[in-house]
Amino acid sequence: MPSENRHPFLQGLSKHRGAPPTVVVIFGASGDLTARKLVPAIYNLALDNLLPSDFFLIGFGRKPIPNNEFRELAEESLKEFSRREVDEQIWGRLRSNTCYVDGLYDDAVGYYKLKDQIEAYEKEIGRDLQVLFYISTPPGVFRDVVSHLGNCGLAAKHLQTPLASKVVIEKPFGKDLESARALNATINKHFEESQIYRIDHYLGKETVQDLLVQRFANSIFEPLWNRNFVECVQITVSEDLGVGSRGGYYDTSGALRDMIQNHTMQLLSLTAMEPPVSLDPESIRDEKVKLLKAIQPLELGSKNTDVVRARYSEGLVGGKKVPPYLDESGIPDDSSTETYAALRLSINNWRWEGVPFYLRSGKRMARRVSEIAIQFKTPPGILFSNNNAFDLSANTMVIQIQPDEGVSLVMNSKIPGLETRTQPVRMNFRYKTTYGSNTPEAYERLILDAMIGDNTLFIRGDETEASWKIITPILDFWKSCGNQGMAEYQSGSWGPLDSDQLLWKNNHQWRKPGP
Amino acid sequence: MASVFSVIPGIELPVSEVVSTMAKMWESEPVKGSVAPSEFRASQMNLILHLGYGTTPEEAKDLFKTLNEFAHSYPSRIIILCPTPSENPDTLLTGKLYSECYIGRSRRDMRCCEVLTLGYDINAPKYLENQVSVWLESDLPTYYWTHRLPAERINTIYKNFISLCKRKVYDSSIDGRGFHSQLDDPAGFRDLSYARLLPVRQTIGQVLSGFEPSNLVNQLVSATLKCSKKYFSEGGALSHWIFNCLKECAAVSGHQLPFCEVLVEIAEGEGGDFDLQFEYSDNRSLRFESQISSGTATLSGCMERGGFSYVLRSGILSPEATLAEAIFFNN
């Protein structure tokens, strides 16, 4: 084979244009994620001619749905959620290669029906197909699905060949360290780690991928990316929405599990990890794991606590009055679930010794925003800081992930005039204005990556366990406290006072990210 | 007949005033509650389109349209160099300024681009380099697109000027298949005809990569490509790629190809735009037929596992996507 083991007829084509013949099987096919994200992502890949010429889509679910009806549902979801118009010809071809198989997740019968359907497709085209299983079911049935795929031989299909089956798993990857280990053990029993793609859609976002480029392709940032120049790092993942109709599920999860353990920890590890030796998936994932392992155990329950939890009370969001968490539908009166969590982390390594990393995530906050803010140390006050005429700010680099993906840098400048007065100004780079907004959705990139076998943007088993190792002691502690220590914050605010106090100890303040 | 310079949209003004006028243009204050256009002026690159003397006004309009649509996705400072016979010996350069803000789905989804057109006397090209340098966005990469400019002029008069550009593109369907070989330094030049056929190469590549390389070349006697007159130049680029793929298949499987090129012929009569046939000395066969206007192709034949026939999607890229492919991605 030529270099990179690619087929000669793929030369001159980027790796993303060489997906092998594939059948994607979506478990949880009648669910919200399938309609909103997965089907539109697959269709948009087809529109860009990025799907292999032999491509099939099978929906799998408990509800019996005739093929035609499933195709209709898929078409409706495209019309509603696709980022681009539906092209009849493209959709027509995809539609004719789409079908539905019903079965119970804990019953082998459905899996054998699925196996027959895949083999029928292979027979139809006279070629082997790679099977990509996308598990988008409630977490309670993950293990059933994986076990049955293993038992009926689908997990090992074409193993040791380039067409080996792959499995994509949506979060949550467990609900604590113990369950994450058990889930990994079940998956690893049937699939090799190289076949497993744990998806966190944040990693498919352009700015998150750009983080590595910003850090390692610009010589001006990396020399400053350490304890000598960085004062603190703040990572915010906030939403202005409440729990809505997901109250029942959310109350069993909470902000720490739902957002901090996965999205926020991923952002942290990409921000703080050491440079990988290369951009191959394992090198990057090795560095992320090393970083997570370097996080110091958290102080819990004392006056010097490193964690804060809270739940939203009544307030105004977008000018409208919204109810408190405990009045939302599906929330029990004695709920002790947090809708907001903030952490102060210390990283015990040469680069970050003494630099606090602040993480926060919550619902019903002032704005929907995800960002990483690197606050640099303020310059020595010899020249400008000894007089109140000078308003010196710390230089801050903000990597904004949503909305309006981009990067900005705050620096001090002189206000024009005869007197010397300073003011912080912001330099902005926005993806939309520079590159246009019609960039692929995160799910498009991630599904295509899984099809071509690139797992750089997916989470390895030991990463999930390293992350749960940090989070589980907090969960255990909170569980032991019940509602004791649960703060409240007004809906539409930036969080509770306790969370502000977490930063005051170090003379820091939470940012209030504006539009 | 209208001149090329006159059909390119924009406001004509002395070249000395272009930069200052452009700066003023972006100074506009925002209307209350909106955002000033200056916030959306975010060029990521310079793109120079250098028109040759043989360019027709119709071509110029089409090229302008392509550039404009390209800039919707890749906001650029575009400079069009346009040979214009000078009636006044003291005015060898004339300028034109055009700007546009493209509004997408939301207020924040807006991108602005600028097009500066420089009419220059073909007999006085020595001023071109300096004038263009004044108009480029500093520190951003510069790309160059030549259209109907003789290779000989590129090798001599514009050599230094072009060497500063990151990547250069031409179109062999316009400039001729021999254009590339006439260049003194062809390394950075990319052919739009090759880029245009990316979907066709991808379709062929995705299907043929499903066969073992040795199966594709074992007992292969010949490979021929018939193409319509309209796509003859693209056919040349495609045949070159197919030959390289087959050569690589032979190399990795220890075979030798009994031919040293994929023959390209113009198809007679009504047929598809591309008809690629592999002929084997045994009873195997492979045929790819594509009709660009219908956006479909058929791959049929008989290989080890028996006969097959697939209907596939296969078209060509739009002009602006072709330009992006050639500039950014094309290897």
Side-chain angles (χ1 to χ4, degrees), chain A residues 1-3 7-14 16-19 21 46-54 82-85 89-90 93 124-128 404 428 430-438 515, chain B residues 39-40 42 44 72-75 105-106 108-111 194 198-199 201-213 216 241-242 244-246 248-249 252 278 294-296 305 310-313 331:
Chain A
M1 283 282 173
S3 57
H7 193 284
F9 263 93
L10 295 175
Q11 68 173 270
L13 298 170
S14 77
H16 286 102
R17 295 190 180 274
L47 207 55
D48 289 332
N49 207 18
L50 291 170
L51 292 182
S53 44
D54 289 315
S82 168
R83 69 185 166 91
R84 290 181 291 190
E85 297 274 305
Q89 201 183 7
I90 307 293
R93 184 167 154 70
E124 182 186 320
I125 60 164
R127 301 168 68 189
D128 290 341
D404 293 332
N428 261 339
R430 289 277 167 263
Y431 263 81
K432 275 185 182 175
T433 45
T434 308
Y435 295 113
S437 65
N438 220 4
Chain B
E39 189 166 324
F40 299 104
Q44 54 170 287
H72 290 171
S73 298
Y74 306 95
R105 288 180 180 183
S106 68
R108 285 218 154 261
D109 182 7
M110 186 154 100
R111 293 171 291 288
Y194 176 77
L198 173 69
R201 280 183 282 125
Q202 186 180 348
T203 303
I204 295 174
Q206 281 184 341
V207 178
L208 297 195
S209 64
F211 296 94
E212 283 298 317
L216 289 170
W241 176 76
I242 291 165
N244 282 338
C245 295
L246 288 171
E248 190 69 38
C249 285
V252 297
F278 289 179
S294 71
T296 56
R305 294 183 194 174
Y310 307 131
V311 177
L312 309 159
R313 181 172 172 252
N331 292 312

Side-chain angles (χ1 to χ4, degrees), chain A residues 222-244:
Chain A
E222 190 54 22
L224 310 180
W225 217 260
N226 57 52
R227 64 188 149 82
N228 297 322
F229 297 96
V230 175
E231 175 70 23
C232 69
V233 176
Q234 296 187 18
I235 301 178
T236 302
V237 179
S238 64
E239 295 175 282
D240 53 0
L241 295 175
V243 293

Side-chain angles (χ1 to χ4, degrees), chain A residues 291-299 306 344-349 353-354 470:
Chain A
L291 188 279
L292 292 173
K293 285 182 175 171
I295 293 173
Q296 196 174 298
L298 296 165
E299 182 70 38
D306 287 319
R344 178 178 54 201
L345 302 178
S346 305
I347 298 172
N348 270 341
N349 66 15
E353 171 69 35
I470 300 160

